[in-house]
Amino acid sequence: MTAVTQDLTWVPSPLTRRLATGAVLALGAAALVHRPTLVVFAAPFLVALAVWVRETRTATAEVTVDLPTLRTTEQQAVPLETSTDGSAGIGSWRLLLRPGRFVESDGAVLVALGDRATGGWQVTPTRWGWWSAGSVVAVARSERRAWMTETSTPAPELTVYPPATSAARVPAPPHLRSRLGPHVSRVPGAGVEFAGIREYHPGDPTRRVNWLASSRGGSLVINEFAQERMADVVLLIDGVHDLGEPGETTVDRSVRGASSVAQAYLMSADRVGVVAFGSSLRWLAPTTGTRHFYRIVETLLQARQARTYVHPSIDRLPLVALPSGALVVCFSPLVDDLVVQALQALRERAHPVVVVDMLAEHGITVRSADDELALRVWRLTRAATQSSLASIGVRVVPYAEVSGGTLGWLRLGGERTPVGR
Amino acid sequence: MSPRTALLATATAASWTALLTVAVGIGTSPLLAIASGLVSLGVWHRLGGWVSTVPALGCVAMLATGPLTGTAVAASGAAAVLVLVHVVLVDLADDVQGATAAAVVSALRRLVPGAVAALAATLLVGFAAVAGGALPPVEPMLVAAPLLLLAAFLLGLGMATRRAFWGLLVEPAKLSPLTKRYLARAGLRA
């Protein structure tokens, strides 16, 4: 809540200016054409003005701007409430909201007679990040409407999360941790997924004896089940370059995609961590839980902040941020060698890596033969980059497959079934 | 009928009455009055606050070209008061959206001293102009007719809106203790 006591500076109101204009015009015309009728016409304007401008005006007013919900997601409207209290001496209020950057509102003007006014708007953020909801402009008129004053009060900052949608399917990680989880591993153990049969050993539970196979083979045989384990997933956001139109830049789309992938893995009880690989290196160690999702999103929101001249490098990451064998899902436009080198370093550490290509090719207009040649060279360069990544075992998929749900059908080796709803 | 509609209707009636009063009072063609009146209808569509000054401009233009008679002085005074009412009501109509009738009436009451002073000043200056300029005598009905016309309009508007708005301008008279006792005995509420 922002409650500001504003010092009021009063100026003549539009009513005063109009009445003065009428009187001046009548008196001017009277002087030109020598008509006393015009002096009679100007008299009530001047006298009414003289009476109305002599009034006491309050020196301060309190304007309160409140955002009951400081956190929201893209395209989700939140209420913004405001109230004004000018004590005595104010006849009417007119309140309007000037929305901040990447924030939209219904644009309604609130009017209220009296020394107090209360109202609100619905503000809708259009882009994730930290944005000011705007400022509330309060225009007050004096009791006799001869004076007016205008104040501006800033609204609190709004934390806008990416859309809270979960990816339909995500790939099952090839390397699983030795902890209980949702993924069916190749290691036999306690589970519900049938894995095979083997000879009975003393100490095996008798309820696992496969009586049909035992009667045919002549010796006791028991059923084996696959162990169910959890996985570590690290989402790597490439923020070195931010390309595209505001609201649809590569970082914007990367954060949306990473958010949906993180939610999908967290819903299946996997551990998810984040590395914001951009102007500054930020990381969050993999953990499970719904609460961790909001920590992830807070880290993702910082992907666009704090520009530095320090080149990011995954060598500076601690082991807890990048556990061995963790699946790395990288959201990148693949336009910088730094990222390509980081992906190669990850493969050298035996991490399975999936790259989601954030650079969309649509909307390219070719106007000349030079443009055509440049486009061909650019496509060849990207194809060479993707080919070099594929040669070291990095899978590159377009961004549409994250939102379209086909990412889950990737086979990364070692997995049994894809994770998904 | 919302307070804003009632205020704008009254303001429009006041401006048209003022323009026609000037046109009749100085005996000129009503074309300029009609044109100014039509332009002033823009206040209904929030075309801009300065549109409310168009009737004043029309009156000034007609008075500047009209004859100098006692009738013209009377028409000028009556029109000035009506144009003042027009400008004030249009200005107030911008801020009454969603307001209660009681709040609007309270806002109007604050403007009454200035309006009364303006009326008194008009009469004073008008009489001074007539007396000082030795102009022909003025028909009393010419001064009273526009104001009576506006009062009749307000009365009709109040009756049409079941006194929801303009009826509040007149405070109900207080009943005497004797009358209250009589009503209580008769089983009626005071």
Side-chain angles (χ1 to χ4, degrees):
Chain A
M1 181 188 292
T2 308
V4 181
T5 301
Q6 300 274 12
D7 293 329
L8 303 180
T9 305
W10 294 91
V11 295
S13 71
L15 174 65
T16 304
R17 293 199 292 265
R18 286 167 204 156
L19 292 180
T21 304
V24 167
L25 278 174
L27 289 175
L32 283 175
V33 298
H34 305 291
R35 288 281 195 282
T37 50
L38 291 168
V39 178
V40 176
F41 189 85
F45 291 87
L46 292 172
V47 173
L49 267 181
V51 173
W52 286 335
V53 295
R54 293 169 62 84
E55 59 177 331
T56 54
R57 286 158 279 157
T58 180
T60 59
E62 186 172 284
V63 183
T64 305
V65 183
D66 187 21
L67 270 173
T69 309
L70 290 172
R71 290 177 173 81
T72 184
T73 56
E74 279 181 340
Q75 304 297 341
Q76 185 179 0
V78 293
L80 189 149
E81 297 167 358
T82 183
S83 63
T84 57
D85 186 359
S87 64
I90 288 182
S92 67
W93 284 100
R94 178 178 284 265
L95 307 172
L96 61 101
L97 175 69
R98 283 189 187 137
R101 204 166 167 233
F102 302 117
V103 174
E104 293 175 351
S105 79
D106 47 8
V109 178
L110 307 176
V111 291
L113 288 175
D115 55 359
R116 293 178 184 182
T118 305
W121 299 270
Q122 293 285 325
V123 293
T124 309
T126 58
R127 195 181 184 189
W128 60 264
W130 289 284
W131 309 113
S132 165
S135 58
V136 174
V137 177
V139 180
R141 296 283 286 268
S142 60
E143 282 187 334
R144 292 178 182 171
R145 308 186 64 75
W147 300 93
M148 66 174 288
T149 182
E150 182 176 322
T151 64
S152 178
T153 308
E157 196 175 63
L158 197 59
T159 303
V160 185
Y161 292 151
T165 53
S166 172
R169 280 180 176 277
V170 284
H175 303 308
L176 301 174
R177 295 177 59 82
S178 58
R179 290 185 182 177
L180 191 63
H183 303 289
V184 179
S185 70
R186 293 187 178 277
V187 181
V192 294
E193 192 80 18
F194 179 76
I197 57 175
R198 65 166 171 82
E199 284 188 6
Y200 176 82
H201 297 302
D204 285 337
T206 52
R207 62 191 176 90
R208 287 195 179 179
V209 173
N210 189 330
W211 295 106
L212 192 62
S214 300
S215 63
R216 286 184 181 172
S219 61
L220 279 178
V221 175
I222 66 164
N223 290 330
E224 272 193 329
F225 295 92
Q227 207 172 48
E228 292 173 350
R229 291 181 170 180
M230 70 188 314
D232 285 339
V233 179
V234 174
L235 305 172
L236 187 72
I237 306 293
D238 175 9
V240 177
H241 293 285
D242 195 6
L243 311 171
E245 296 291 323
E248 284 299 323
T249 65
T250 53
V251 173
D252 281 329
R253 290 160 17 118
S254 297
V255 169
R256 290 187 199 119
S259 167
S260 60
V261 170
Q263 193 162 15
Y265 278 115
L266 287 172
M267 283 173 67
S268 59
D270 285 321
R271 299 201 316 167
V272 181
V274 171
V275 174
F277 187 84
S279 49
S280 63
L281 196 65
R282 297 170 190 273
W283 56 271
L284 191 67
T287 317
T288 58
T290 309
R291 190 182 295 176
H292 185 62
F293 173 71
Y294 292 99
R295 284 198 289 266
I296 289 174
V297 174
E298 291 279 351
T299 308
L300 290 175
L301 293 186
Q302 297 169 359
R304 203 161 37 202
Q305 287 193 328
R307 297 276 173 197
T308 70
Y309 291 98
V310 180
H311 278 186
S313 168
I314 62 165
D315 294 336
R316 301 198 191 98
L317 285 177
L319 188 62
V320 290
L322 206 58
S324 61
L327 168 65
V328 178
V329 182
C330 174
F331 294 84
S332 169
L334 291 177
V335 294
D336 199 291
D337 286 340
L338 279 173
V339 181
V340 177
Q341 290 166 8
L343 295 173
Q344 289 169 347
L346 286 170
R347 281 303 293 154
E348 287 168 4
R349 296 184 191 183
H351 286 284
V353 178
V354 176
V355 175
V356 181
D357 188 0
M358 305 307 300
L359 204 58
E361 203 178 308
H362 59 78
I364 297 176
T365 52
V366 178
R367 294 194 183 91
S368 63
D370 291 343
D371 290 351
E372 179 71 29
L373 181 62
L375 184 60
R376 281 183 60 197
V377 171
W378 178 71
R379 281 177 180 155
L380 285 171
T381 308
R382 283 180 59 77
T385 305
Q386 293 182 5
S387 175
S388 68
L389 289 174
S391 67
I392 57 173
V394 175
R395 304 288 295 271
V396 181
V397 294
Y399 173 68
E401 296 198 3
V402 178
S403 53
T406 54
L407 190 63
W409 301 111
L410 279 181
R411 288 287 179 264
L412 301 177
E415 75 275 15
R416 304 279 302 266
T417 54
V419 180
R421 287 179 294 173
Chain B
M1 181 182 285
S2 69
R4 180 174 183 271
T5 309
L7 288 176
L8 287 180
T10 310
T12 304
S15 66
W16 278 84
T17 310
L19 288 164
L20 293 176
T21 300
V22 172
V24 171
I26 64 173
T28 185
S29 168
L31 284 178
L32 185 57
I34 292 171
S36 303
L38 288 175
V39 174
S40 73
L41 291 177
V43 297
W44 287 85
H45 298 284
R46 300 179 191 273
L47 288 181
W50 288 98
V51 176
S52 64
T53 58
V54 169
L57 291 176
C59 289
V60 168
M62 285 191 287
L63 289 169
T65 55
L68 187 59
T69 62
T71 308
V73 171
S76 170
V81 173
L82 290 170
V83 168
L84 180 70
V85 169
H86 166 80
V87 174
V88 169
L89 292 186
V90 168
D91 183 70
L92 185 61
D94 279 346
D95 288 347
V96 298
Q97 196 146 19
T100 61
V104 178
V105 169
S106 174
L108 282 172
R109 277 185 187 150
R110 293 191 197 110
L111 301 173
V112 166
V116 170
L119 187 61
T122 309
L123 290 173
L124 199 64
V125 176
F127 281 125
V130 171
L135 298 171
V138 181
E139 286 289 335
M141 276 306 292
L142 193 66
V143 180
L147 299 176
L148 287 175
L149 205 62
L150 184 65
F153 177 79
L154 289 177
L155 189 64
L157 197 64
M159 290 172 69
T161 56
R162 296 182 182 177
R163 298 185 181 84
F165 182 64
W166 296 111
L168 291 171
L169 277 174
V170 183
E171 289 189 13
K174 291 179 180 174
L175 299 177
S176 68
L178 189 67
T179 310
K180 285 182 181 173
R181 203 178 309 147
Y182 173 78
L183 289 174
R185 280 181 190 168
L188 300 171
R189 279 193 307 175

